[in-house]
Coordinates of all heavy atoms in Angstrom, one line a residue:
M97 N -25.0 20.2 -21.4 CA -26.4 20.4 -21.2 C -27.0 21.2 -22.4 O -26.4 21.9 -23.0 CB -26.6 21.2 -19.9 CG -26.2 20.4 -18.6 SD -27.1 18.9 -18.5 CE -28.8 19.5 -18.0
P98 N -28.3 21.0 -22.6 CA -29.0 21.8 -23.6 C -29.1 23.2 -23.3 O -29.0 23.6 -22.1 CB -30.4 21.1 -23.7 CG -30.6 20.6 -22.3 CD -29.3 20.2 -21.8
T99 N -29.2 24.1 -24.3 CA -29.5 25.5 -24.1 C -30.9 25.8 -24.7 O -31.4 24.9 -25.4 CB -28.4 26.4 -24.7 OG1 -28.5 26.2 -26.1 CG2 -27.1 26.0 -24.2
R100 N -31.4 27.0 -24.5 CA -32.6 27.4 -25.1 C -32.6 27.2 -26.7 O -33.6 26.9 -27.3 CB -33.0 28.8 -24.8 CG -33.5 29.0 -23.4 CD -33.8 30.5 -23.1 NE -34.5 30.7 -21.9 CZ -35.8 30.7 -21.7 NH1 -36.6 30.5 -22.8 NH2 -36.3 30.8 -20.6
R101 N -31.4 27.4 -27.2 CA -31.3 27.4 -28.7 C -30.8 26.0 -29.2 O -30.8 25.8 -30.4 CB -30.4 28.5 -29.2 CG -30.9 29.9 -28.8 CD -30.0 30.9 -29.3 NE -29.9 31.0 -30.8 CZ -29.3 31.9 -31.4 NH1 -28.7 32.9 -30.8 NH2 -29.2 31.8 -32.8
R102 N -30.3 25.2 -28.3 CA -29.6 24.0 -28.8 C -30.0 22.8 -27.9 O -29.4 22.6 -26.8 CB -28.1 24.3 -28.7 CG -27.3 23.2 -29.4 CD -25.8 23.5 -29.3 NE -25.5 24.6 -30.1 CZ -24.9 24.6 -31.3 NH1 -24.7 23.4 -31.9 NH2 -24.7 25.6 -32.0
P103 N -30.9 22.0 -28.4 CA -31.2 20.8 -27.7 C -30.1 19.8 -27.9 O -29.2 19.9 -28.7 CB -32.5 20.2 -28.3 CG -32.5 20.9 -29.7 CD -31.7 22.2 -29.6
I104 N -30.1 18.7 -27.1 CA -29.1 17.6 -27.2 C -29.9 16.4 -27.6 O -30.9 16.1 -27.0 CB -28.4 17.4 -25.9 CG1 -27.5 18.6 -25.5 CG2 -27.5 16.2 -26.0 CD1 -26.9 18.5 -24.2
R105 N -29.4 15.7 -28.6 CA -30.0 14.4 -29.0 C -28.9 13.3 -29.0 O -27.8 13.6 -29.4 CB -30.6 14.5 -30.3 CG -31.8 15.5 -30.4 CD -32.5 15.4 -31.7 NE -33.6 16.4 -31.7 CZ -33.5 17.7 -32.0 NH1 -32.4 18.2 -32.4 NH2 -34.6 18.4 -31.9
G106 N -29.2 12.1 -28.6 CA -28.2 11.1 -28.6 C -28.8 9.8 -28.0 O -30.0 9.6 -28.1
E107 N -27.9 9.0 -27.5 CA -28.3 7.8 -26.9 C -27.7 7.6 -25.5 O -26.7 8.2 -25.2 CB -27.8 6.6 -27.7 CG -28.5 6.5 -29.1 CD -28.0 5.3 -29.9 OE1 -27.1 4.6 -29.4 OE2 -28.5 5.1 -31.0
D108 N -28.4 6.9 -24.6 CA -27.8 6.6 -23.4 C -26.9 5.3 -23.5 O -26.9 4.7 -24.6 CB -28.8 6.5 -22.2 CG -29.7 5.3 -22.3 OD1 -29.5 4.4 -23.1 OD2 -30.7 5.3 -21.5
L109 N -26.3 4.8 -22.4 CA -25.5 3.7 -22.5 C -26.2 2.4 -22.8 O -25.7 1.4 -23.3 CB -24.6 3.5 -21.2 CG -23.6 4.6 -21.0 CD1 -23.0 4.5 -19.6 CD2 -22.5 4.6 -22.1
G110 N -27.5 2.4 -22.5 CA -28.3 1.2 -22.8 C -28.9 1.2 -24.3 O -29.5 0.3 -24.7
G111 N -28.7 2.3 -25.0 CA -29.1 2.4 -26.4 C -30.4 3.1 -26.6 O -30.9 3.2 -27.7
D112 N -31.1 3.6 -25.5 CA -32.3 4.4 -25.7 C -32.0 5.7 -26.4 O -30.9 6.3 -26.2 CB -32.9 4.7 -24.3 CG -33.5 3.6 -23.6 OD1 -33.5 2.5 -24.1 OD2 -34.0 3.8 -22.4
R113 N -32.9 6.1 -27.3 CA -32.7 7.4 -27.9 C -33.2 8.5 -26.9 O -34.3 8.3 -26.3 CB -33.6 7.5 -29.1 CG -33.1 6.7 -30.3 CD -32.0 7.4 -31.1 NE -32.3 8.7 -31.5 CZ -31.4 9.7 -31.7 NH1 -30.1 9.4 -31.6 NH2 -31.7 10.9 -32.0
V114 N -32.4 9.5 -26.7 CA -32.7 10.5 -25.6 C -32.6 11.9 -26.2 O -31.6 12.2 -27.0 CB -31.8 10.4 -24.4 CG1 -32.2 11.3 -23.3 CG2 -31.8 9.0 -23.9
E115 N -33.6 12.8 -26.0 CA -33.5 14.2 -26.4 C -33.7 15.0 -25.1 O -34.6 14.8 -24.4 CB -34.6 14.5 -27.4 CG -34.5 13.7 -28.7 CD -35.7 14.0 -29.6 OE1 -36.1 15.1 -29.7 OE2 -36.3 13.0 -30.0
L116 N -32.8 16.0 -24.9 CA -32.9 16.9 -23.8 C -33.1 18.3 -24.4 O -32.4 18.7 -25.3 CB -31.6 17.0 -23.0 CG -31.1 15.7 -22.4 CD1 -29.8 16.0 -21.6 CD2 -32.1 14.9 -21.7
E117 N -34.1 19.0 -23.9 CA -34.3 20.4 -24.3 C -34.7 21.2 -23.1 O -35.4 20.8 -22.2 CB -35.3 20.5 -25.5 CG -36.6 19.8 -25.4 CD -37.4 19.8 -26.7 OE1 -37.1 19.1 -27.6 OE2 -38.3 20.7 -26.7
V118 N -34.4 22.5 -23.2 CA -34.8 23.5 -22.1 C -36.3 23.8 -22.3 O -36.7 24.0 -23.4 CB -33.9 24.7 -22.2 CG1 -34.5 25.8 -21.3 CG2 -32.5 24.4 -22.0
S119 N -37.0 23.8 -21.2 CA -38.4 24.1 -21.2 C -38.7 24.9 -20.0 O -37.9 25.1 -19.1 CB -39.2 22.7 -21.1 OG -40.6 23.0 -21.2
V120 N -39.9 25.6 -20.1 CA -40.4 26.4 -18.9 C -41.7 25.7 -18.5 O -42.6 25.5 -19.3 CB -40.6 27.9 -19.3 CG1 -41.2 28.6 -18.2 CG2 -39.3 28.5 -19.8
A121 N -41.7 25.4 -17.2 CA -42.9 24.7 -16.6 C -44.2 25.5 -16.7 O -44.2 26.6 -16.3 CB -42.6 24.3 -15.2
R122 N -45.2 24.9 -17.4 CA -46.5 25.6 -17.4 C -47.4 25.0 -16.4 O -48.5 25.5 -16.2 CB -47.1 25.4 -18.8 CG -46.3 26.1 -19.9 CD -47.2 26.3 -21.1 NE -46.4 27.0 -22.2 CZ -45.7 26.4 -23.2 NH1 -45.8 25.0 -23.2 NH2 -45.1 27.0 -24.0
K123 N -47.0 24.0 -15.7 CA -47.7 23.5 -14.5 C -46.7 22.9 -13.6 O -45.5 22.8 -13.9 CB -48.8 22.4 -14.9 CG -48.3 21.2 -15.7 CD -49.4 20.3 -16.0 CE -48.8 18.9 -16.3 NZ -49.9 17.9 -16.5
L124 N -47.2 22.4 -12.4 CA -46.3 21.8 -11.5 C -45.9 20.4 -11.9 O -46.7 19.6 -12.2 CB -47.0 21.8 -10.1 CG -46.2 21.6 -8.9 CD1 -45.2 22.7 -8.6 CD2 -47.1 21.5 -7.7
Y125 N -44.6 20.2 -11.9 CA -44.1 18.8 -12.2 C -43.3 18.3 -11.1 O -42.8 19.0 -10.2 CB -43.1 18.9 -13.4 CG -43.8 19.3 -14.7 CD1 -43.4 20.5 -15.3 CD2 -44.7 18.5 -15.3 CE1 -44.0 20.9 -16.5 CE2 -45.3 18.9 -16.5 CZ -45.0 20.1 -17.1 OH -45.6 20.5 -18.3
T126 N -43.2 16.9 -11.0 CA -42.4 16.2 -10.0 C -41.2 15.7 -10.8 O -41.3 14.9 -11.7 CB -43.1 15.1 -9.4 OG1 -44.3 15.6 -8.7 CG2 -42.2 14.4 -8.4
C127 N -40.0 16.1 -10.4 CA -38.7 15.6 -11.0 C -38.5 14.2 -10.7 O -38.4 13.8 -9.5 CB -37.6 16.5 -10.5 SG -36.0 16.0 -11.0
P128 N -38.3 13.3 -11.7 CA -38.0 11.9 -11.4 C -36.6 11.7 -10.8 O -36.4 10.6 -10.2 CB -38.1 11.2 -12.8 CG -38.4 12.3 -13.8 CD -38.3 13.6 -13.1
G129 N -35.8 12.7 -10.9 CA -34.4 12.5 -10.4 C -34.4 12.6 -8.8 O -33.7 11.8 -8.2
C130 N -35.1 13.6 -8.3 CA -35.0 13.8 -6.8 C -36.4 13.7 -6.1 O -36.4 13.7 -4.9 CB -34.4 15.2 -6.6 SG -35.5 16.5 -7.1
G131 N -37.4 13.6 -6.9 CA -38.8 13.6 -6.3 C -39.3 14.9 -5.9 O -40.4 15.0 -5.4
G132 N -38.5 16.0 -6.1 CA -38.9 17.3 -5.7 C -39.8 18.0 -6.8 O -39.9 17.4 -7.9
Q133 N -40.3 19.1 -6.5 CA -41.2 19.8 -7.4 C -40.5 20.8 -8.3 O -39.5 21.4 -7.9 CB -42.4 20.4 -6.7 CG -43.3 19.4 -6.0 CD -44.5 20.0 -5.4 OE1 -44.5 21.2 -5.0 NE2 -45.6 19.3 -5.4
I134 N -41.0 20.9 -9.5 CA -40.5 22.0 -10.4 C -41.7 23.0 -10.5 O -42.7 22.7 -11.0 CB -40.2 21.4 -11.8 CG1 -39.1 20.3 -11.7 CG2 -39.8 22.5 -12.8 CD1 -38.9 19.5 -13.0
P135 N -41.5 24.2 -10.0 CA -42.6 25.1 -9.9 C -42.9 25.7 -11.3 O -42.1 25.7 -12.2 CB -42.1 26.2 -9.0 CG -40.6 26.1 -8.9 CD -40.2 24.7 -9.3
I136 N -44.2 26.2 -11.4 CA -44.6 26.8 -12.6 C -43.7 28.0 -12.9 O -43.3 28.8 -12.0 CB -46.1 27.3 -12.4 CG1 -47.0 26.1 -12.3 CG2 -46.5 28.2 -13.6 CD1 -48.4 26.4 -11.9
G137 N -43.3 28.1 -14.1 CA -42.4 29.2 -14.6 C -40.9 28.9 -14.5 O -40.1 29.6 -15.0
A138 N -40.6 27.7 -13.9 CA -39.2 27.4 -13.7 C -38.6 26.8 -15.0 O -39.2 25.9 -15.6 CB -39.0 26.4 -12.6
E139 N -37.4 27.3 -15.3 CA -36.7 26.6 -16.5 C -36.1 25.3 -16.0 O -35.6 25.2 -14.9 CB -35.5 27.6 -16.9 CG -35.0 27.2 -18.3 CD -34.1 28.3 -18.8 OE1 -34.6 29.3 -19.3 OE2 -32.9 28.2 -18.6
H140 N -36.3 24.3 -16.8 CA -35.9 22.9 -16.4 C -35.6 22.2 -17.7 O -35.5 22.8 -18.8 CB -37.0 22.3 -15.7 CG -38.3 22.1 -16.4 ND1 -39.1 23.1 -16.7 CD2 -38.8 21.0 -17.1 CE1 -40.1 22.6 -17.5 NE2 -39.9 21.3 -17.7
V141 N -35.4 20.9 -17.6 CA -35.0 20.1 -18.8 C -36.1 19.1 -19.1 O -36.5 18.3 -18.3 CB -33.7 19.4 -18.6 CG1 -33.3 18.5 -19.8 CG2 -32.5 20.4 -18.4
F142 N -36.6 19.2 -20.3 CA -37.6 18.2 -20.9 C -36.8 17.1 -21.5 O -36.0 17.3 -22.4 CB -38.4 19.0 -21.9 CG -39.5 18.1 -22.6 CD1 -40.7 18.0 -22.0 CD2 -39.2 17.5 -23.8 CE1 -41.7 17.2 -22.6 CE2 -40.2 16.8 -24.4 CZ -41.5 16.6 -23.8
V143 N -37.1 15.9 -21.0 CA -36.4 14.7 -21.5 C -37.3 13.8 -22.2 O -38.3 13.3 -21.7 CB -35.8 13.9 -20.3 CG1 -35.0 12.7 -20.8 CG2 -34.8 14.8 -19.5
R144 N -37.0 13.5 -23.5 CA -37.9 12.6 -24.3 C -37.0 11.4 -24.6 O -35.9 11.4 -25.0 CB -38.3 13.3 -25.6 CG -39.2 12.4 -26.5 CD -39.5 13.1 -27.8 NE -40.3 14.3 -27.6 CZ -39.9 15.5 -27.9 NH1 -38.7 15.7 -28.3 NH2 -40.7 16.6 -27.7
R145 N -37.6 10.2 -24.3 CA -36.9 9.0 -24.4 C -37.6 8.0 -25.2 O -38.8 7.7 -25.1 CB -36.7 8.4 -22.9 CG -35.7 7.3 -22.8 CD -35.6 7.0 -21.3 NE -34.8 7.9 -20.5 CZ -33.5 7.9 -20.4 NH1 -32.8 6.9 -20.9 NH2 -32.8 8.8 -19.7
T146 N -36.9 7.4 -26.2 CA -37.4 6.3 -27.0 C -36.6 5.0 -26.7 O -35.5 4.9 -27.1 CB -37.2 6.6 -28.5 OG1 -37.8 7.9 -28.8 CG2 -37.9 5.6 -29.4
P147 N -37.3 4.1 -25.9 CA -36.5 2.9 -25.5 C -36.1 2.0 -26.6 O -36.8 1.9 -27.6 CB -37.6 2.2 -24.6 CG -38.5 3.3 -24.1 CD -38.6 4.2 -25.3
V148 N -34.9 1.5 -26.4 CA -34.4 0.6 -27.5 C -35.1 -0.7 -27.6 O -35.1 -1.4 -28.6 CB -32.9 0.3 -27.2 CG1 -32.7 -0.5 -25.9 CG2 -32.2 -0.3 -28.4
D149 N -35.9 -1.1 -26.5 CA -36.6 -2.3 -26.5 C -37.9 -2.3 -27.2 O -38.7 -3.2 -27.2 CB -36.8 -2.8 -25.0 CG -37.8 -1.9 -24.2 OD1 -38.4 -0.9 -24.8 OD2 -38.0 -2.1 -23.0
G150 N -38.2 -1.1 -27.8 CA -39.4 -1.0 -28.7 C -40.7 -0.6 -27.9 O -41.7 -0.4 -28.5
S151 N -40.5 -0.4 -26.6 CA -41.7 0.1 -25.8 C -41.9 1.6 -26.1 O -41.1 2.3 -26.8 CB -41.5 -0.1 -24.3 OG -40.3 0.5 -23.8
S152 N -43.0 2.1 -25.7 CA -43.5 3.5 -26.2 C -42.5 4.6 -25.7 O -42.0 4.6 -24.6 CB -44.9 3.8 -25.6 OG -45.8 2.8 -26.0
R153 N -42.4 5.6 -26.6 CA -41.7 6.8 -26.3 C -42.4 7.5 -25.1 O -43.6 7.5 -25.0 CB -41.7 7.7 -27.5 CG -40.8 8.8 -27.4 CD -40.6 9.4 -28.8 NE -41.6 10.4 -29.1 CZ -41.4 11.3 -30.0 NH1 -40.3 11.4 -30.7 NH2 -42.4 12.2 -30.3
Y154 N -41.6 8.1 -24.2 CA -42.2 8.9 -23.1 C -41.4 10.1 -22.8 O -40.3 10.2 -23.3 CB -42.4 8.0 -21.9 CG -41.2 7.5 -21.3 CD1 -40.5 8.1 -20.2 CD2 -40.5 6.3 -21.8 CE1 -39.4 7.6 -19.7 CE2 -39.4 5.8 -21.2 CZ -38.8 6.5 -20.2 OH -37.6 6.0 -19.6
H155 N -41.9 11.0 -22.0 CA -41.1 12.2 -21.6 C -41.3 12.5 -20.2 O -42.2 12.0 -19.5 CB -41.5 13.4 -22.5 CG -42.9 13.9 -22.3 ND1 -44.0 13.5 -23.1 CD2 -43.5 14.6 -21.3 CE1 -45.1 14.1 -22.6 NE2 -44.8 14.8 -21.5
Q156 N -40.3 13.2 -19.6 CA -40.3 13.6 -18.2 C -39.7 15.0 -18.1 O -39.0 15.4 -19.0 CB -39.4 12.6 -17.4 CG -39.8 11.2 -17.5 CD -38.7 10.2 -16.9 OE1 -37.6 10.4 -17.2 NE2 -39.1 9.3 -16.1
H157 N -40.0 15.6 -17.0 CA -39.5 16.9 -16.7 C -38.6 16.8 -15.5 O -38.9 16.3 -14.5 CB -40.7 17.9 -16.4 CG -41.6 18.1 -17.5 ND1 -41.6 19.2 -18.4 CD2 -42.7 17.3 -17.9 CE1 -42.5 19.1 -19.3 NE2 -43.2 17.9 -19.0
W158 N -37.3 17.3 -15.7 CA -36.3 17.1 -14.7 C -35.8 18.5 -14.3 O -35.6 19.4 -15.2 CB -35.1 16.3 -15.3 CG -35.3 14.9 -15.6 CD1 -36.2 14.3 -16.5 CD2 -34.7 13.8 -14.9 NE1 -36.1 13.0 -16.4 CE2 -35.2 12.6 -15.5 CE3 -33.7 13.7 -13.9 CZ2 -34.7 11.3 -15.0 CZ3 -33.3 12.5 -13.5 CH2 -33.8 11.3 -14.1
H159 N -35.4 18.7 -13.1 CA -34.5 19.8 -12.7 C -33.3 19.8 -13.6 O -32.7 18.7 -13.9 CB -34.1 19.7 -11.2 CG -35.2 19.9 -10.2 ND1 -35.5 19.0 -9.3 CD2 -36.1 21.0 -10.0 CE1 -36.5 19.4 -8.5 NE2 -36.9 20.6 -9.0
T160 N -32.8 21.0 -13.9 CA -31.6 21.0 -14.7 C -30.4 20.3 -14.0 O -29.7 19.5 -14.7 CB -31.2 22.5 -15.0 OG1 -32.3 23.1 -15.6 CG2 -30.0 22.6 -15.8
D161 N -30.2 20.6 -12.8 CA -29.1 19.9 -12.1 C -29.3 18.4 -12.0 O -28.3 17.6 -12.1 CB -28.9 20.4 -10.7 CG -28.1 21.8 -10.7 OD1 -27.5 22.1 -11.7 OD2 -28.2 22.4 -9.6
C162 N -30.5 17.9 -11.8 CA -30.8 16.5 -11.7 C -30.6 15.8 -13.1 O -30.3 14.6 -13.1 CB -32.2 16.3 -11.2 SG -32.5 16.8 -9.5
A163 N -30.7 16.6 -14.2 CA -30.6 16.0 -15.5 C -29.1 15.9 -16.0 O -28.8 15.2 -17.0 CB -31.4 16.8 -16.5
R164 N -28.2 16.5 -15.2 CA -26.8 16.5 -15.7 C -26.2 15.1 -15.8 O -25.5 14.8 -16.8 CB -25.9 17.3 -14.7 CG -26.2 18.8 -14.8 CD -25.3 19.6 -13.9 NE -25.8 20.9 -13.7 CZ -25.8 21.9 -14.6 NH1 -25.2 21.7 -15.8 NH2 -26.3 23.1 -14.4
P165 N -26.6 14.1 -14.9 CA -26.0 12.8 -15.1 C -26.5 12.1 -16.4 O -25.8 11.3 -17.0 CB -26.6 12.0 -13.9 CG -26.7 13.0 -12.9 CD -27.2 14.3 -13.6
I166 N -27.7 12.5 -16.9 CA -28.2 12.0 -18.2 C -27.3 12.5 -19.3 O -26.9 11.7 -20.2 CB -29.7 12.4 -18.4 CG1 -30.6 11.9 -17.3 CG2 -30.2 11.9 -19.8 CD1 -32.0 12.5 -17.4
A167 N -27.0 13.8 -19.3 CA -26.2 14.4 -20.3 C -24.8 13.8 -20.3 O -24.2 13.5 -21.3 CB -26.1 15.9 -20.1
R168 N -24.3 13.5 -19.1 CA -23.0 12.9 -19.0 C -23.0 11.5 -19.6 O -22.0 11.1 -20.2 CB -22.5 12.8 -17.5 CG -21.9 14.1 -17.0 CD -21.1 13.8 -15.7 NE -21.9 13.5 -14.6 CZ -22.5 14.4 -13.8 NH1 -22.3 15.7 -14.0 NH2 -23.2 14.1 -12.8
E169 N -24.1 10.7 -19.3 CA -24.2 9.4 -19.8 C -24.2 9.5 -21.4 O -23.6 8.6 -22.1 CB -25.4 8.7 -19.3 CG -25.5 7.2 -19.8 CD -26.6 6.5 -19.1 OE1 -27.1 6.9 -18.0 OE2 -27.1 5.5 -19.7
M170 N -24.9 10.5 -21.9 CA -25.0 10.6 -23.4 C -23.6 10.9 -23.9 O -23.3 10.5 -25.0 CB -26.0 11.7 -23.7 CG -27.5 11.2 -23.4 SD -28.6 12.6 -23.4 CE -28.8 13.0 -25.1
D171 N -22.9 11.7 -23.2 CA -21.5 12.0 -23.6 C -20.7 10.7 -23.7 O -20.0 10.5 -24.7 CB -20.8 12.9 -22.6 CG -21.0 14.4 -22.9 OD1 -21.2 14.7 -24.1 OD2 -21.0 15.2 -22.0
L172 N -20.8 9.9 -22.7 CA -20.1 8.6 -22.7 C -20.5 7.8 -23.9 O -19.7 7.0 -24.5 CB -20.3 7.9 -21.4 CG -19.7 8.5 -20.2 CD1 -20.1 7.8 -18.9 CD2 -18.1 8.4 -20.3
A173 N -21.8 7.8 -24.2 CA -22.3 6.9 -25.3 C -22.0 7.5 -26.7 O -22.3 6.8 -27.7 CB -23.8 6.7 -25.1
G174 N -21.5 8.7 -26.7 CA -21.2 9.3 -28.0 C -22.3 10.2 -28.5 O -23.2 9.8 -29.2
R175 N -22.3 11.4 -28.0 CA -23.4 12.4 -28.2 C -23.3 13.1 -29.5 O -22.2 13.4 -29.9 CB -23.4 13.4 -27.1 CG -24.6 14.3 -27.1 CD -24.5 15.2 -25.9 NE -23.6 16.3 -26.0 CZ -23.2 17.0 -25.0 NH1 -23.7 16.8 -23.8 NH2 -22.4 18.0 -25.2
R176 N -24.4 13.3 -30.1 CA -24.4 14.1 -31.3 C -25.2 15.4 -31.0 O -26.3 15.3 -30.4 CB -25.2 13.4 -32.5 CG -24.4 12.3 -33.0 CD -25.0 11.8 -34.4 NE -26.4 11.4 -34.2 CZ -26.8 10.2 -33.7 NH1 -25.9 9.3 -33.4 NH2 -28.1 9.9 -33.6
R177 N -24.7 16.5 -31.3 CA -25.4 17.8 -31.1 C -26.0 18.2 -32.4 O -25.4 18.1 -33.5 CB -24.4 18.9 -30.7 CG -24.0 18.9 -29.2 CD -23.2 20.1 -28.9 NE -22.9 20.2 -27.5 CZ -23.7 20.8 -26.6 NH1 -24.9 21.3 -27.0 NH2 -23.4 20.9 -25.4
N178 N -27.3 18.6 -32.3 CA -27.9 19.2 -33.6 C -28.9 20.2 -33.2 O -28.8 20.8 -32.2 CB -28.6 18.1 -34.4 CG -29.1 16.9 -33.6 OD1 -28.6 16.6 -32.6 ND2 -30.2 16.4 -34.1
Ligands
LIG364 ZN1 -34.7 17.1 -9.3

């Protein structure tokens, strides 16, 4: 998982470019993983995704625990840390 000082960048198994970084919620977010809310002030994971199919880059806010499968998939796909 990313830390405050160390984001994770890599690809998922489908070839999308994915970046995970630790963030602090400045407003209320809905986690795409579980549908639950991320309260203001909560540390969570900011996920930026660049689809391999050429569609637009987008980002989402995930609970840290909900984002773990994304990091695992990036591990499987061959993650680079930077
Ligand atoms: Zn969640």
Side-chain angles (χ1 to χ4, degrees):
M97 293 300 289
T99 66
R100 281 178 174 271
R101 298 179 64 173
R102 189 179 291 263
I104 295 173
R105 297 185 179 88
E107 294 182 357
D108 70 8
L109 292 173
D112 289 358
R113 290 280 308 155
V114 186
E115 299 173 47
L116 307 184
E117 46 187 81
V118 173
S119 182
V120 175
R122 294 201 179 93
K123 60 178 196 176
L124 196 63
Y125 294 115
T126 300
C127 170
C130 68
Q133 293 187 328
I134 300 171
I136 293 169
E139 197 168 276
H140 64 284
V141 177
F142 179 87
V143 180
R144 184 182 293 112
R145 193 175 284 272
T146 308
V148 70
D149 66 5
S151 56
S152 302
R153 190 164 89 157
Y154 63 96
H155 66 262
Q156 298 169 315
H157 298 262
W158 290 66
H159 290 122
T160 302
D161 279 346
C162 295
R164 290 186 197 282
I166 302 174
R168 276 199 291 275
E169 184 174 339
M170 292 163 72
D171 270 331
L172 289 172
R175 185 175 80 190
R176 292 192 300 277
R177 282 186 173 274
N178 32 332

